[in-house]
Amino acid sequence: MARLYVKIKEKDNVAVAVQDIKAGTRITEDLTANQDIPQAHKIALCDISAGKEIIRYGVVLGYAIHEIRKGDWINEHMLELPESPSLDHLEYGTNLVEMENLPMPKRTTWMGYRNQTGPAGTRNLLGIVTTVQCAAGVLQVAVEQMKKELLPKYPNVDDIVAVTHPYGCGVAIHAPLAEIPIRAITNIIRHPNFGGEIMVVGLGCEKLTYSYVLPQEDITKENVLTLQDYAGHDAMMQAIFEMAEKKLQKLNKRHREELPLSELLIGMQCGGSDAFSGISANPSAGYAADLLVRGGATVMFSEVTEVRDGVQMLAARCVDAHTRDRLVEEMKWYDKYLAEGGVGRDANPTPGNKAGGLSNIVEKAMGSIAKSGSSPIVEVLSPAEKPTKHGLIYAATPASDIVCGPSQVASGIGLQVFMTGRGTPYGLAISPVIKVCSRKEMKAHWFDLIDISAGAVVTGEATIQDVGEEIFDMILDVASGLKKPYSDQYGFHNDMCIFNPAPIT
Ligand code: CA
């Protein structure tokens, strides 16, 4: 018989139900469910008095508000959230796993589009970036037509992408925090999947002029196009077509070549998590991250509010004091950002997370961090910055799926691995997204939307290593253009909701 619950660490006093458990079910010799326990929710393994610790992952998730009896269902209303870990005096470098102790990947090369600098491309795309949302409608219509009329003539080009974002005008462009959205747009223009071909479309009167996002030598009539310069619809469409066709001719000469993993930059994210995410999908992705890092690749993980409660675990993995200090700086910035907005870290998790058994942000954080694997953190980035090192990178971004994605894209990821418990059709037009679910029921329900199921880890039929290797293989296959994840097969792509913490005027 398959197991009924999963306990993670010896000292845990709660476990997670593998399936719905009916009240009165005898779970083990001396443990009986006192109430119905929904799948992925917690059950008390012993009596817990009011005020005492509730422990999962060997970590205090919170304190019992009332007395809890052995066999009780524990939901989010029964825990008091502990204080956030202090950001002062965090120790660094106390948990550095040596490279030779990371698992060795079977494959150490992939097929990508080499770039002059930085990571290689996983796709060969014409990316057309707007400086302002006002140009979005025109560009989207032009791109839909060009996909039909121009793209078939250039078989080596995978797609044409209209990068339309909400920034650009009506914004306090000189506000200190405006550097975040400006950096995001600047870096997206140079995304590795765009092969160095620059095409920027502006309106003409916006605040975000070309000089904010391009060096002077790149602001040429070959690279930038201003809609207000053209007389009416037909003229502006023709101008976009002509510029795009010249770029397509150049991109069509690009070919994939065998490259070392050091030219691969992968992002990790999770969304719609449940209490299984930290047991199956995220640790499996973490194992894939370890394989990638061991093979020389760079792996990025993010989502500040979801790692904040495990910051001491991340500091212990920072390679030096500077990296730890940068981590603390990013966490403090976010604490302040939330406080100024009048909320705390308990604004996360979501109702769906809670329905999935995640009681609070501490529990979510432990699962979220698992996707980073075990390797040392070599660099910490502000939102939308590009890595300068190889290995595991912490790139600070909001946890919001639709904002974390574009931030990591701006940092240059060639592909994102996305773990989910509840399910999301999320995808990105610039970087393919592989979706990994935490439980078998999700894969059965969304059989043609979820790429990989880590559910067999929950039931004990597969190991984290098994699924980790499956994820690693799919990463290399998708990066090499051999496979398309479901979101790309259907063209399910989210908008580029870049992070703008600065004022809108
Ligand atoms: Ca997320």
Side-chain angles (χ1 to χ4, degrees):
M1 191 175 122
R3 59 181 166 176
L4 287 176
Y5 73 88
V6 181
K7 179 180 171 184
I8 302 197
K9 288 276 166 76
E10 194 47 45
K11 67 189 276 203
D12 291 359
N13 57 11
V14 300
V16 167
V18 171
Q19 283 126 24
D20 289 339
I21 297 177
K22 285 264 166 250
T25 304
R26 207 163 154 207
I27 299 168
T28 63
E29 290 269 308
D30 63 345
L31 179 66
T32 302
N34 299 334
Q35 301 89 25
D36 288 349
I37 298 169
Q39 185 188 38
H41 282 241
K42 289 178 288 302
I43 180 165
L45 299 176
C46 58
D47 292 339
I48 304 170
S49 330
K52 291 289 177 205
E53 296 171 337
I54 293 170
I55 301 170
R56 186 184 168 206
Y57 295 109
V59 166
V60 177
L61 298 186
Y63 301 94
I65 293 174
H66 306 292
E67 180 169 356
I68 295 170
R69 287 180 306 139
K70 181 175 180 176
D72 276 355
W73 170 37
I74 298 178
N75 62 40
E76 78 268 19
H77 306 296
M78 296 162 74
L79 288 79
E80 191 182 344
L81 191 65
E83 287 285 305
S84 259
S86 166
L87 292 172
D88 298 319
H89 316 296
L90 286 170
E91 281 193 283
Y92 69 89
T94 54
N95 181 22
L96 297 180
V97 174
E98 298 284 339
M99 194 61 115
E100 59 265 29
N101 291 332
L102 293 174
M104 185 62 113
K106 291 195 189 85
R107 296 158 71 182
T108 54
T109 64
W110 64 294
M111 299 296 289
Y113 295 96
R114 191 189 288 274
N115 284 313
Q116 281 181 344
T117 58
T122 60
R123 294 287 181 268
N124 186 24
L125 304 173
L126 171 58
I128 310 177
V129 183
T130 55
T131 53
V132 64
Q133 175 63 211
C134 312
V138 172
L139 183 61
Q140 281 158 356
V141 169
V143 165
E144 282 313 305
Q145 282 181 22
M146 291 194 293
K147 282 185 184 192
K148 292 191 194 99
E149 293 166 29
L150 291 186
L151 194 57
K153 293 199 282 177
Y154 303 97
N156 292 335
V157 182
D158 292 311
D159 208 354
I160 307 173
V161 178
V163 185
T164 58
H165 53 79
Y167 199 69
C169 204
V171 291
I173 201 99
H174 297 302
L177 290 175
E179 72 171 352
I180 294 175
I182 294 172
R183 178 166 63 223
I185 296 163
T186 303
N187 287 344
I188 289 169
I189 292 170
R190 298 280 191 181
H191 191 274
N193 286 356
F194 297 164
E197 293 304 321
I198 295 167
M199 183 164 171
V200 177
V201 174
L203 177 61
C205 53
E206 63 273 30
K207 280 191 165 174
L208 189 74
T209 53
Y210 301 126
S211 57
Y212 281 101
V213 293
L214 288 170
Q216 203 55 40
E217 66 267 24
D218 287 333
I219 305 174
T220 62
K221 63 179 182 2
E222 286 76 32
N223 293 340
V224 304
L225 187 155
T226 305
L227 297 182
Q228 287 171 351
D229 290 349
Y230 295 90
H233 169 274
D234 291 1
M236 66 179 68
M237 285 293 166
Q238 190 187 342
I240 293 172
F241 268 59
E242 284 174 4
M243 185 180 282
E245 184 137 32
K246 287 189 187 124
K247 305 288 179 189
L248 287 168
Q249 285 163 0
K250 288 193 203 164
L251 289 168
N252 200 47
K253 297 191 179 114
R254 305 190 85 215
H255 290 281
R256 288 185 188 271
E257 55 187 295
E258 189 170 11
L259 298 171
L261 292 184
S262 56
E263 298 216 22
L264 192 56
L265 172 54
I266 300 296
M268 296 276 175
Q269 202 204 160
C270 53
S273 299
D274 66 7
F276 290 143
S277 296
I279 296 172
S280 58
N282 285 348
S284 301
Y287 190 84
D290 284 349
L291 290 168
L292 287 162
V293 167
R294 177 72 199 266
T298 301
V299 177
M300 181 177 285
F301 72 112
S302 299
E303 300 173 287
V304 174
T305 52
E306 289 184 8
V307 305
R308 175 67 181 81
D309 281 274
V311 66
Q312 69 287 3
M313 296 159 75
L314 298 185
R317 290 167 59 191
C318 285
V319 289
D320 53 29
H322 172 72
T323 310
R324 185 268 323 265
D325 292 346
R326 285 287 297 114
L327 180 72
V328 168
E329 206 171 37
E330 292 298 332
M331 299 285 132
K332 282 189 171 168
W333 184 89
Y334 221 92
D335 281 357
K336 185 164 165 274
Y337 174 67
L338 288 178
E340 283 171 353
V343 293
R345 70 205 210 282
D346 57 350
N348 189 342
T350 65
N353 294 148
K354 289 175 182 171
L358 288 174
S359 293
N360 65 20
I361 189 62
V362 181
E363 187 171 19
K364 194 170 174 182
M366 294 306 124
S368 182
I369 288 172
K371 66 180 172 295
S372 67
S374 59
S375 64
I377 297 169
V378 297
E379 188 171 29
V380 172
L381 304 176
S382 293
E385 279 184 339
K386 292 184 189 178
T388 64
K389 295 188 175 160
H390 291 286
L392 182 68
I393 308 268
Y394 182 72
T397 75
S400 159
D401 301 349
I402 56 155
V403 179
C404 171
S407 283
Q408 287 195 349
V409 166
S411 294
I413 57 161
L415 181 154
Q416 195 180 55
V417 186
F418 188 101
M419 281 61 69
T420 185
R422 311 285 297 168
T424 166
Y426 167 89
L428 296 166
I430 300 174
S431 308
V433 176
I434 296 172
K435 285 203 288 293
V436 181
C437 71
S438 65
R439 59 200 167 98
K440 286 180 167 181
E441 290 81 357
M442 183 73 244
K443 178 64 180 165
H445 185 55
W446 274 15
F447 55 93
D448 57 358
L449 291 162
I450 300 290
D451 299 292
I452 292 177
S453 170
V457 176
V458 178
T459 53
E461 294 158 291
T463 64
I464 284 167
Q465 289 87 329
D466 295 336
V467 180
E469 283 183 8
E470 187 184 349
I471 295 171
F472 174 82
D473 269 335
M474 182 142 188
I475 290 170
L476 293 205
D477 286 348
V478 171
S480 301
L482 300 170
K483 276 187 188 162
K484 266 189 181 186
Y486 283 120
S487 54
D488 280 355
Q489 290 178 32
Y490 306 125
F492 289 170
H493 295 145
N494 289 85
D495 295 333
M496 288 301 277
C497 304
I498 58 174
F499 184 37
N500 175 26
I504 291 181
T505 57

